[in-house]
Amino acid sequence: SRRQRQMCIRDSAGAAIWSRDIEGAIGPATADHLVRGLEQAQAENAELVIMRIDTPGGLDLAMREMIKAMLASTVPVVGYVAPSGARAASAGTYLLYATHVAAMAPGTNLGAATPVQIGAPGLPQLPASEPDEPSGGAPQPATSMERKIVNDSVAYIQSLAQLRGRNVEWPEKAVREGASLSAEDALALGVIDLIAPSVADLLAQLDGRQVDVGGATVTLATEAVVVHEHPVDWRSEFLAVITNPNIAYVLMLVGIYGLIIEFYNPGFGVPGVVGAVCLLLALYAFQVLPISYSGLGLIILGIGLMTAEAFAPSFGILGLGGIVAFVVGSIMLMD
């Protein structure tokens, strides 16, 4: 199961270093977890934030929300792909490029950052006269829409590379060709800044390092620190499960087919209730609906189903579905 942790590291002077783990598929819950963590770190005047990454990728919208928060942060953010065997694939590569300092543990990798559409219908094809491959020989997307998405992704990750002064050429290969790199090769090519086998070694290498934060030069002080670990709140854990892109896609299918079955067999109740709840959850997970609208929709649906149970007894199906929708919607609306 997906696991996220929050640690607070304090040095002898009282300044704090916050660490957030980004594990598993990236979705709305992951973005919410990181954004709130950065806000807390800035409110407490933290020395820096360590973002430990181990992800196969995730949703583009959630990734961009996290990057916007990092770029606007007044606290330096250190990206650290760890432990050994971890990866910063796909969306994780973009996140690592956006950090003020990019580090990896030995035996880790990053890359394979080609965007992929989830469940996309057939799209218009490129005119037959256009070549399938550019002069460089890299394979081209099959449709005009895919080509736009890839070109936008290339420009985005290259802009992050230019902002942080890192290799600008390799990320294009990661997006267009799905290229990947080991930690050692990434350091040699200037894709990352450091290789550190542990958090202690990372802090030792960061001590005295200067980074640019909002146009100002900041010197990091990370010597002699004590680690305090705090578990992530239950809300983020719960939302992380239902917003995993793989689970969200299943929820979307269940929702659509549930409503279709209910329309073909009106009055049965179960397919309609399950379909409506699953479809709203899927829309939130894919960030088609923002959290407030999804939560509000589930609460309204729950109240409606519980009310319907009083006037049209259905052996508890409507009432049970209403309770589930109401509880989940309330969780989404919580801060």
Side-chain angles (χ1 to χ4, degrees):
S1 61
R2 181 176 175 277
R3 177 179 58 87
Q4 294 179 317
R5 296 191 308 275
Q6 171 187 325
M7 295 184 296
C8 177
I9 307 171
R10 297 187 178 276
D11 63 18
S12 56
I17 298 176
W18 293 85
S19 178
R20 291 260 169 168
D21 284 6
I22 306 300
E23 294 186 350
I26 292 172
T30 316
D32 177 70
H33 178 68
L34 178 67
V35 171
R36 286 191 294 116
L38 289 177
E39 291 174 351
Q40 293 170 4
Q42 293 175 80
E44 298 205 10
N45 298 316
E47 180 71 24
L48 59 87
V49 172
I50 297 177
M51 182 175 65
R52 186 154 46 186
I53 305 171
D54 182 9
T55 176
L59 295 179
D60 176 83
L61 290 175
M63 173 199 74
R64 289 177 183 256
E65 183 180 349
M66 297 166 72
I67 290 176
K68 286 179 183 178
M70 285 190 284
L71 297 183
S73 174
T74 57
V75 176
V77 180
V78 176
Y80 182 40
V81 185
S84 295
R87 57 179 170 169
S90 195
T93 302
Y94 295 80
L95 293 177
L96 191 62
Y97 258 94
T99 57
H100 296 87
V101 180
M104 299 176 71
T108 57
N109 66 281
L110 81 163
T114 306
V116 178
Q117 291 180 291
I118 301 178
L123 298 172
Q125 297 291 322
L126 287 169
S129 59
E130 292 195 27
D132 292 333
E133 296 186 359
S135 58
Q140 281 291 285
T143 68
S144 56
M145 180 59 72
E146 290 174 354
R147 185 171 184 175
K148 289 179 180 179
I149 294 172
V150 169
N151 288 340
D152 175 71
S153 300
V154 168
Y156 188 54
I157 197 169
Q158 285 185 329
S159 69
L160 296 174
Q162 293 169 352
L163 179 65
R164 300 307 187 198
R166 301 196 186 107
N167 188 309
V168 178
E169 297 176 355
W170 179 82
E172 181 174 4
K173 293 183 180 179
V175 176
R176 295 193 186 279
E177 305 173 20
S180 297
L181 283 177
S182 65
E184 290 74 14
D185 291 338
L187 182 63
L189 290 176
V191 172
I192 62 172
D193 306 301
L194 302 170
I195 290 182
S198 65
V199 173
D201 184 71
L202 174 64
L203 294 177
Q205 295 188 56
L206 289 174
D207 190 51
R209 188 183 185 92
Q210 293 185 332
V211 295
D212 184 282
V213 181
T217 301
V218 176
T219 302
L220 303 179
T222 59
E223 188 178 2
V225 295
V226 178
V227 179
H228 301 275
E229 184 173 348
H230 303 273
V232 69
D233 59 89
W234 65 270
R235 174 180 177 270
S236 294
E237 289 281 7
F238 172 75
L239 293 179
V241 173
I242 65 174
T243 58
N244 182 300
N246 299 312
I247 295 177
Y249 189 61
V250 174
L251 288 173
M252 183 181 70
L253 293 178
V254 172
I256 292 173
Y257 283 108
L259 294 179
I260 290 175
I261 294 172
E262 183 65 31
F263 289 147
Y264 276 102
N265 301 277
F268 189 56
V270 176
V273 172
V274 174
V277 173
C278 288
L279 191 58
L280 282 172
L281 290 175
L283 290 175
Y284 162 63
F286 287 134
Q287 294 194 324
V288 175
L289 295 178
I291 185 169
S292 56
Y293 293 164
S294 296
L296 181 61
L298 284 168
I299 290 175
I300 294 173
L301 176 63
I303 294 174
L305 291 175
M306 288 186 285
T307 304
E309 177 68 30
F311 293 96
S314 60
F315 305 100
I317 297 300
L318 294 178
L320 181 60
I323 293 173
V324 172
F326 186 86
V327 171
V328 175
S330 301
I331 292 174
M332 287 182 174
L333 284 176
M334 284 183 202
D335 188 357

